[in-house]
Structure formats: C-alpha cells, structure tokens
Amino acid sequence: MEVTQRQMDILRAAVKIIANQGFRELTTKNMAKELNLTEAALYRHFKSKHHILQTLLNYFMEISADFLNSINAMQVSPWQKVELFVSNRLQFFKDDPDLSIVLFSEELYKNDPSLQEQLRNIMYQHRDNMTDLIRQAQAQNEIKTPIEASQLYIIMIGSMRHIITQWNVSTRNNDLIKEGNKLLSSIRTIFEYNDSHK
C-alpha cells in the first residue's frame, strides 16, 4: 500500500487529534484546521473519516509485517526473535506515543465491524508469528516451561500493553525502554528461560 506524503500528514493529524482530544473530535473540520487545509482538500486524499482510519490500520499492519519478516530472516534463536519483537514495539510506541493511544482505543473500533476486523487481523498476525516462535523456543529448550505457547504469548503481550498504557497514563515520565527491559528480564524468569545455548 502506497501512502503519499500528504496522506501521511493527514494520518498523523488524525492520530494527534484522537490521542489528545478524543475520537469524537476527529472531524474533517478539525483535521483541516490542524493541517491548514480546506475540507475539500482533505477529500482529494481520503473519501471519508472511515477511509482515514482504514488506511492508518493498513499502514500499521504493513509496517508490522515487514518487521516480522525481517526478524524471521535473522540468524538468531527463536527467543531472541521474540525479544527483538517486544523491543521493537516498545521503541516504536516510544517514538510515536500518540499512535499507541489510538491503537489501544476501544472507542475507536467498538461500533465499526470493518475496523474491528482490521484490528483483529493485526492482532492475529502478531499472535500467530510470536506463538510459533515461542513454540520453537520451547522445542529448542530455550523456554523450559510446559505452559502452552498461546498462553505464554498472552502473558507477554498483556504485560507489554500494560506498561505502555501505564506509561501513557503517567504522562510518559518514566523510561519506557528501561521498563520494557525489566519486563523482558522478568518474563525470562517466568518462562524458566535457558540461556545455555549462547
């Protein structure tokens, strides 16, 4: 999916409005004001507000898919790939904190089945890839716990989402990356991580 620079500007303006003012304030009038454009100019790039949100989710899904493909091609262990994924997500949201608020916003999707489906596809993309890597790590004895890989994934992603939400709620005063590294260290212990392969 190709996104023009002007479309990207509009997407960023939409994210900023939702994160700082709420979804109800995402209007063509407010976006036009944010970008110093006319409302008619916005419609030359997107057909509707719904189209903007669809494009935003598609864009995020493509970025995620590209990164997952890149780590899967790396010559490192399965668990190291899992750690790279978690670290990348934390850095991604640290660099673009408003986007984390938008993607985690239930209000944005609850009345729109098509957006819900897009978000589910992103979640399933992450879940399937990471669960497979966790299974590989278990098979190679990097992770020694017999708990199902799907449950370990929920523990890991749920914890990661919690620290991102906590970071946003606390007005980003703490160091998200430092907290993420502490989380990974704790997860290694919970999963009975075995680093003897290194």
Side-chain angles (χ1 to χ4, degrees):
M1 178 190 71
E2 281 196 35
V3 177
T4 67
Q5 184 58 54
R6 178 53 79 187
Q7 285 177 317
M8 182 58 69
D9 292 342
I10 294 169
L11 293 177
R12 291 194 179 283
V15 167
K16 182 178 178 181
I17 290 168
I18 296 169
N20 294 285
Q21 301 176 45
F23 178 64
R24 290 182 182 178
E25 296 302 313
L26 183 64
T27 63
T28 53
K29 180 180 179 180
N30 285 341
M31 281 187 285
K33 182 178 178 181
E34 179 72 28
L35 292 161
N36 197 26
L37 293 174
T38 64
E39 291 183 62
L42 285 176
Y43 286 115
R44 286 200 291 270
H45 300 281
F46 291 103
K47 294 177 287 187
S48 63
K49 181 168 73 172
H50 183 265
H51 186 209
I52 291 172
L53 296 174
Q54 280 185 315
T55 304
L56 178 64
L57 289 176
N58 282 333
Y59 181 69
F60 180 71
M61 187 170 187
E62 287 194 7
I63 290 174
S64 294
D66 288 345
F67 181 72
L68 288 169
N69 289 336
S70 71
I71 62 171
N72 284 328
M74 292 179 184
Q75 298 301 309
V76 296
S77 74
W79 178 251
Q80 287 172 308
K81 291 177 182 180
V82 171
E83 288 187 315
L84 284 169
F85 173 79
V86 173
S87 297
N88 174 268
R89 294 297 85 180
L90 291 169
Q91 187 64 56
F92 183 83
F93 288 130
K94 181 180 179 181
D95 292 342
D96 197 347
D98 286 348
L99 187 56
S100 67
I101 295 173
V102 173
L103 291 173
F104 295 164
S105 170
E106 293 180 12
E107 179 188 14
L108 192 62
Y109 316 105
K110 66 181 180 182
N111 296 317
D112 193 320
S114 65
L115 292 179
Q116 287 176 2
E117 182 178 3
Q118 279 186 277
L119 186 62
R120 276 196 301 271
N121 288 338
I122 293 170
M123 294 170 67
Y124 293 165
Q125 175 193 64
H126 293 169
R127 180 201 63 190
D128 294 347
N129 201 288
M130 289 299 105
T131 301
D132 185 54
L133 288 173
I134 291 170
R135 286 196 192 97
Q136 291 177 41
Q138 287 177 310
Q140 295 181 22
N141 201 35
E142 284 187 278
I143 296 174
K144 295 186 289 182
T145 179
I147 297 171
E148 288 182 15
S150 60
Q151 294 300 303
L152 296 178
Y153 169 77
I154 291 170
I155 292 168
M156 181 181 70
I157 293 301
S159 301
M160 183 180 77
R161 179 167 176 165
H162 174 76
I163 67 168
I164 292 171
T165 300
Q166 183 175 275
W167 176 67
N168 277 319
V169 170
S170 65
T171 62
R172 302 162 192 156
N173 287 328
N174 58 333
D175 187 332
L176 181 61
I177 303 304
K178 182 179 178 180
E179 290 301 312
N181 288 334
K182 285 169 61 178
L183 173 65
L184 278 172
S185 178
S186 298
I187 286 173
R188 289 189 198 104
T189 302
I190 293 169
F191 291 4
E192 299 182 72
Y193 180 75
N194 178 5
D195 63 0
S196 62
H197 67 286
K198 292 183 179 180

